[in-house]
Amino acid sequence: SPSCKRWIRAEALAGTRQERPVLRSAIVSEGHQDSQIRWAAKVLLVDQLDRTLLFRGRDPARPMSGTWWFPPGGGLDDGETPEDGARREVREETGLHLAELGPIVHHRTAEFSFGGRTFLSEEDYFVVRVEHFEISREEWTDLEREVVDEHRWWPVAELETTSEVVYPENIIELCWRFT
């Protein structure tokens, strides 16, 4: 597997886990009682050229809703910690085996529809420095093969000017602040 290095600024690691700075954001409508809660872990992989790996996907149940870019990661399995889920998701979606992640640097709550269902997603984010690598789709599920149109190593500076839809909304701040 590709070699992996991790750099996280010292100020992001000060104190105990509960004292570490965790950025928070929320996009939730008032009527989310019918939403299925989804616990998730996402990882912003940033390479030595300050590019972050993103996937462009779409909702097959709503083809007119367009596409959006998002980092590797996804829903947690029962009993899985955010750290273990993040490692598993990165391995499944990219082929990269991550030994360490560092702390959770962001928590996002978002409500969205996908596949005809509404989700209230509670997402924990990690930022990890890696050497550039080519992704593997070997462990992709049928659903991932259906909904992910492409992947790209986006220069973080280019994300500042794109008109594309990119999640999380504060991806630029997270990439610059924690790498």
Side-chain angles (χ1 to χ4, degrees):
S1 73
S3 64
C4 171
K5 295 182 181 175
R6 170 177 61 93
W7 295 277
I8 300 174
R9 294 194 190 282
E11 66 266 22
L13 296 175
T16 66
R17 181 175 181 162
Q18 288 76 24
E19 295 169 339
R20 289 182 183 140
V22 175
L23 304 177
R24 298 188 182 280
S25 63
I27 301 176
V28 179
S29 67
E30 290 188 26
H32 62 269
Q33 296 84 354
D34 296 329
S35 300
Q36 177 179 340
I37 295 178
R38 177 179 182 262
W39 300 97
K42 304 275 190 167
V43 182
L44 298 172
L45 300 170
V46 182
D47 75 6
Q48 67 275 20
L49 299 176
D50 290 330
R51 299 176 303 180
T52 188
L53 178 64
L54 298 176
F55 296 104
R56 185 171 64 87
R58 58 190 163 70
D59 183 348
R62 297 180 313 138
M64 300 307 288
S65 65
T67 62
W68 56 91
W69 292 89
F70 57 93
L76 300 179
D77 291 340
D78 287 341
E80 194 171 42
T81 67
E83 293 82 0
D84 289 342
R87 282 187 198 94
R88 177 184 53 75
E89 287 285 342
V90 166
R91 188 197 73 242
E92 290 174 356
E93 294 178 0
T94 73
L96 179 67
H97 293 258
L98 291 174
E100 295 193 34
L101 293 168
I104 294 168
V105 298
H106 180 61
H107 181 83
R108 175 178 179 258
T109 301
E111 184 178 37
F112 62 90
S113 295
F114 184 83
R117 297 189 338 206
T118 301
F119 295 90
L120 181 63
S121 188
E122 297 288 343
E123 303 168 348
D124 287 325
Y125 283 80
F126 301 87
V127 178
V128 180
R129 275 282 188 180
V130 297
E131 298 291 329
H132 178 81
F133 66 96
E134 293 299 321
I135 75 159
S136 168
R137 294 174 29 143
E138 189 174 308
E139 291 190 59
W140 280 24
T141 65
D142 290 341
L143 178 63
E144 288 165 338
R145 291 179 193 282
E146 178 184 358
V147 304
V148 176
D149 294 331
E150 65 180 303
H151 73 278
R152 177 178 173 202
W153 286 93
W154 278 79
V156 176
E158 191 177 318
L159 288 171
E160 295 179 26
T161 60
T162 186
S163 60
E164 301 270 353
V165 176
V166 180
Y167 296 109
E169 298 78 1
N170 62 338
I171 189 170
I172 299 161
E173 176 187 2
L174 293 173
C175 288
W176 287 134
R177 182 172 177 186
F178 295 103
T179 60

